[in-house]
Amino acid sequence: LAFIKLYENRRRRDILFAALAYIIVLLFDSHYAFFMFVTIIIFALYTYFRKSALEKKQLIKIYTLACLLIIFLSLIITLPFIRQRVFTAHREAPSAWGMVKPFEDLFVQSARPLSYILPATVHPIFGRFTEGFIGTELYGYSLTEHALYLGWIPIILAFISVKKWRKNKKQGQPPESRDSPLARENFHIGFFVFLAFSAWLFSQPPWWDLFGFKLYMPSFFIYKVIPMFRAYCRFGIVLMLAVGVLAGFGLKLILDKFKSQKTKIILACIFTGLVLFEFWNWPPYKIIDISKAPAVYYWLKVQPGDLAIAEYPLDADTPNVMYKFYQTAHEKKIINSTIPRTYANKFAQKIVKLSSPQTAGILKWMGVKYVLVHKEEYLKTELTEDRLELDLIPNNSGLKLIRSFSSQECPQKDIICVQKTGPIDVYEVVAQPVKPALDSR
């Protein structure tokens, strides 16, 4: 909106407004700051190729100065935050959650053909149909990242606006006046059509494999320059924006065919209701009760001393966010939640097997007094080695079972809660400290 205003008015305050808008996005999320930067480039290209030679020369001059000023203002305001994020990053983790993301993530975190046309799995009626495609190449593996549903009603309304726009272009309408309402409408529709196609293209994986031939997509080339971005499926929100605006124009075209204000209101309500139904996601409740944690953590809280705990299964592959969250209840040190590819994570890989006597000795050396064993987490994987590991843990002479906490359920049946848990055994580490052989950093 800010850059459309800048294009139409070209005033100093519009430059400041555009800069402020971009600064807010930049401070909010780096992914969307990058996406908006791409959107600005797309907008500039769209306006450039619509102009005459003289207008192009003027446009380049105006936009160059405006963009330079916007970049300057954005950097001045956001430099302290960028400096803190970039230059204080852990030197041992450049490719974990830091500045270089694994290239393979670009395939996992990209849009799939059905991502845009199937409702989210939380839809009470159509969600079960979508669930059948989770984990496939047609939809994707994430219940959140690949929930990019555009809605069939918005798509139909957008198609109506595009059809009208193409008809106007063929008929040579509207007049070549920038102030003409029809000219402005055609300009806006044309831009959001271009933006929708571009956003869809940018949300794709690094390449399409077409009968053994690789057709490279923008994400492949962008990764070579800025490898800190991986979730290109999030470009879907830009596509949603474009389709939403086009749908608005489509609805306007339909309503303009009726003179009665009452009829327009009724039709607007019908379309609104249909769109709300498409994106309906209740039940279940979108509430998580965090008022109470499992009882074991309140027991831990009252244990005396400056001690540390370990929770198993050890989250050595991916940090377990619940282990970190429960720390807000027990307030003890934890050895969990190490970041992949860091030195701490490499160390954690050595103590994954709690049944090993050496693990108990290392835990003691680290200052761990209690180990919480989440039995249900070992069992729900249905892997033979995990079940065997759970059976062997009590045989570790370096561990002493001191408490067992039974399963807990949520107080309210329909609301998810963090209190829900399976049985948890608490072991005290009684082994002699064993200093591990540390690798050189």
Side-chain angles (χ1 to χ4, degrees):
L1 176 60
F3 275 80
I4 288 174
K5 289 287 186 182
L6 176 61
Y7 168 79
E8 292 178 344
N9 302 320
R10 301 173 188 176
R11 298 171 299 191
R12 292 179 181 177
R13 66 182 183 185
D14 294 307
I15 294 176
L16 294 174
F17 179 53
L20 178 62
Y22 189 71
I23 287 167
I24 292 172
V25 176
L26 185 60
L27 291 175
F28 177 74
D29 186 274
S30 57
H31 255 95
Y32 294 117
F34 165 58
F35 293 166
M36 289 303 100
F37 178 79
V38 173
T39 302
I40 293 168
I41 300 299
I42 291 170
F43 181 76
L45 290 173
Y46 174 75
T47 54
Y48 178 80
F49 287 109
R50 283 177 54 91
K51 297 300 175 183
S52 64
L54 178 62
E55 288 176 319
K56 285 178 181 178
K57 186 176 180 180
Q58 295 174 343
L59 189 67
I60 290 173
K61 183 178 179 180
I62 292 171
Y63 263 84
T64 301
L65 292 174
C67 290
L68 285 174
L69 180 58
I70 288 169
I71 292 170
F72 176 75
L73 291 174
S74 300
L75 287 176
I76 289 296
I77 294 176
T78 59
L79 188 60
F81 302 96
I82 296 173
R83 183 177 179 276
Q84 182 182 16
R85 180 167 185 175
V86 175
F87 295 102
T88 61
H90 199 291
R91 295 179 181 272
E92 296 295 328
S95 59
W97 305 95
M99 303 304 293
V100 180
K101 303 296 176 67
F103 181 73
E104 296 76 15
D105 287 357
L106 271 67
F107 292 93
V108 179
Q109 302 276 6
S110 59
R112 293 294 187 269
L114 298 181
S115 300
Y116 291 114
I117 61 176
L118 291 184
T121 56
V122 292
H123 195 285
I125 297 176
F126 304 123
R128 291 184 180 179
F129 177 76
T130 305
E131 285 179 358
F133 293 93
I134 298 296
T136 67
E137 289 297 321
L138 290 174
Y139 185 84
Y141 299 88
S142 174
L143 294 172
T144 53
E145 296 282 14
H146 292 106
L148 305 173
Y149 184 52
L150 298 174
W152 282 102
I153 299 300
I155 289 174
I156 292 171
L157 291 174
F159 176 77
I160 292 172
S161 68
V162 173
K163 188 177 180 181
K164 176 65 175 175
W165 169 66
R166 294 188 65 183
K167 182 179 179 181
N168 286 342
K169 288 184 66 178
K170 288 180 180 179
Q171 294 177 350
Q173 297 176 348
E176 288 298 325
S177 170
R178 197 176 68 183
D179 297 326
S180 164
L182 282 176
R184 291 184 64 191
E185 184 175 281
N186 267 10
F187 174 83
H188 294 147
I189 292 176
F191 165 65
F192 283 104
V193 169
F194 186 47
L195 178 62
F197 173 76
S198 302
W200 173 80
L201 205 62
F202 274 85
S203 71
Q204 298 303 298
W207 62 70
W208 292 344
D209 195 346
L210 303 175
F211 305 104
F213 175 76
K214 288 183 179 180
L215 181 61
Y216 292 95
M217 294 289 109
S219 60
F220 174 83
F221 302 101
I222 295 174
Y223 180 82
K224 301 292 184 181
V225 181
I226 42 178
M228 66 284 295
F229 298 109
R230 61 173 180 171
Y232 283 87
C233 58
R234 297 178 190 175
F235 243 108
I237 198 170
V238 182
L239 178 55
M240 293 176 192
L241 170 66
V243 172
V245 174
L246 292 173
F249 279 111
L251 181 58
K252 177 180 178 294
L253 290 171
I254 293 175
L255 298 181
D256 285 345
K257 294 182 179 181
F258 299 90
K259 295 182 178 180
S260 171
Q261 192 69 17
K262 185 177 180 180
T263 304
K264 291 183 179 182
I265 293 173
I266 292 173
L267 284 173
C269 289
I270 290 174
F271 278 104
T272 301
L274 290 172
V275 172
L276 288 174
F277 172 75
E278 283 199 278
F279 291 90
W280 186 25
N281 62 3
W282 183 88
Y285 289 101
K286 304 303 178 293
I287 298 171
I288 300 177
D289 182 2
I290 61 171
S291 60
K292 291 184 179 180
V296 62
Y297 297 107
Y298 296 113
W299 174 84
L300 271 175
K301 185 176 182 178
V302 299
Q303 300 307 306
D306 183 21
L307 56 91
I309 70 165
E311 304 213 37
Y312 277 78
L314 193 65
D315 49 342
D317 295 328
T318 303
N320 188 318
V321 294
M322 292 310 297
Y323 289 166
K324 293 191 291 184
F325 178 79
Y326 289 138
Q327 192 180 29
T328 63
H330 61 73
E331 300 177 358
K332 303 296 184 184
K333 298 175 183 177
I334 60 174
I335 69 163
N336 301 88
S337 301
T338 58
I339 304 298
R341 298 182 180 88
T342 62
Y343 179 77
N345 183 255
K346 293 176 181 177
F347 186 85
Q349 300 286 345
K350 299 179 179 180
I351 55 173
V352 170
K353 295 290 185 182
L354 185 58
S355 60
S356 170
Q358 183 181 3
T359 298
I362 295 174
L363 290 174
K364 187 70 173 182
W365 174 79
M366 296 173 69
V368 174
K369 185 174 182 179
Y370 298 115
V371 177
L372 277 60
V373 177
H374 297 259
K375 300 170 71 173
E376 189 176 75
E377 297 299 316
Y378 280 98
L379 297 174
K380 72 180 184 181
T381 63
E382 297 183 356
L383 296 176
T384 304
E385 54 266 35
D386 289 339
R387 291 176 178 269
L388 180 61
E389 169 68 8
L390 181 61
D391 293 337
L392 292 176
I393 290 174
N395 299 331
N396 190 340
S397 59
L399 302 173
K400 179 183 177 182
L401 179 64
I402 58 172
R403 290 290 300 267
S404 290
F405 291 83
S406 58
S407 302
Q408 291 181 249
E409 297 294 332
C410 295
Q412 292 182 265
K413 186 177 181 181
D414 297 327
I415 296 180
I416 300 172
C417 73
V418 298
Q419 185 180 356
K420 183 178 181 180
T421 183
I424 300 174
D425 288 343
V426 180
Y427 289 87
E428 182 178 358
V429 182
V430 295
Q432 293 298 316
V434 174
K435 185 177 180 179
L438 302 178
D439 298 330
S440 174
R441 295 197 181 194

